Amino acid sequence: MNIKFRVEGRPPKKDGSQSLWSEKSHQAKLVFNLREKAFEAKQDAKIKESYSGLVQIKISIFAPFITINDHHQHVGDLDNLVAGIFESIQPASNNETLIPNKIFDQNPDVAPNIALLIDDDSQIVSISAEKIKSDDEYYTVEIESKNH
């Protein structure tokens, strides 16, 4: 069983300076948007739980500026974008000091403590990721179980 979804705009970008989930994060809105689209796709596929086994993921990021040579406001480095997407489809780490961004109060189905698509990103055993130059800015995520 696989799930595929599209999200308008940029993907969240992990940079290590702070949690994507935190109240001060500038990435929280992007995480929220991704989780809402992932939740909708999961419902459409009639999948009730997160994937518990091994998975493969394909990510395609479409943006007008894909490298720093294109523009100083390019979409970002692929590794940071992939890491941001991975962080967003699993639950936030169980950190007592984390104060989640208030945006997650808008939809309890995508709350930070929920394992939305995967329980942990260590389940990801295969990844395909690409940035594609496009006039429109969006990205697609496809996740598929590797368990046979």
Side-chain angles (χ1 to χ4, degrees):
M1 180 64 81
N2 71 331
I3 295 174
K4 184 174 183 178
F5 57 96
R6 173 180 167 147
V7 184
E8 297 300 321
R10 293 178 175 219
K13 181 171 34 177
K14 186 173 181 180
D15 66 7
S17 65
Q18 66 180 322
S19 169
L20 296 175
W21 308 92
S22 80
E23 66 179 342
K24 295 178 180 160
S25 173
H26 300 292
Q27 302 290 314
K29 174 73 172 154
L30 302 175
V31 173
F32 181 78
N33 292 344
L34 184 158
R35 288 180 67 83
E36 282 204 315
K37 291 297 183 185
F39 180 76
E40 290 170 15
K42 188 172 148 183
Q43 282 193 308
D44 290 346
K46 304 206 181 331
I47 296 174
K48 296 190 186 312
E49 303 294 324
S50 63
Y51 289 96
S52 58
L54 306 178
V55 297
Q56 64 183 20
I57 294 183
K58 179 177 183 195
I59 297 170
S60 297
I61 300 165
F62 300 83
F65 307 115
I66 61 174
T67 71
I68 200 157
N69 292 336
D70 291 335
H71 195 274
H72 69 280
Q73 290 294 324
H74 74 290
V75 69
D77 294 344
L78 190 58
D79 59 331
N80 293 332
L81 298 169
V82 167
I85 291 169
F86 286 1
E87 288 294 312
S88 301
I89 62 175
Q90 67 183 353
S93 55
N94 198 1
N95 181 341
E96 295 167 5
T97 61
L98 175 67
I99 300 169
N101 193 291
K102 298 281 186 227
I103 194 166
F104 296 104
D105 295 343
Q106 294 176 22
N107 185 345
D109 291 324
V110 300
N113 64 321
I114 293 174
L116 197 58
L117 294 180
I118 56 175
D119 300 325
D120 186 86
D121 57 9
S122 67
Q123 295 170 245
I124 302 166
V125 295
S126 177
I127 173 81
S128 168
E130 61 186 344
K131 292 192 295 186
I132 300 166
K133 198 167 184 73
S134 169
D135 290 338
D136 299 320
E137 194 167 50
Y138 67 95
Y139 60 101
T140 60
V141 177
E142 186 172 1
I143 183 168
E144 183 176 351
S145 173
K146 290 285 284 180
N147 296 339
H148 301 288

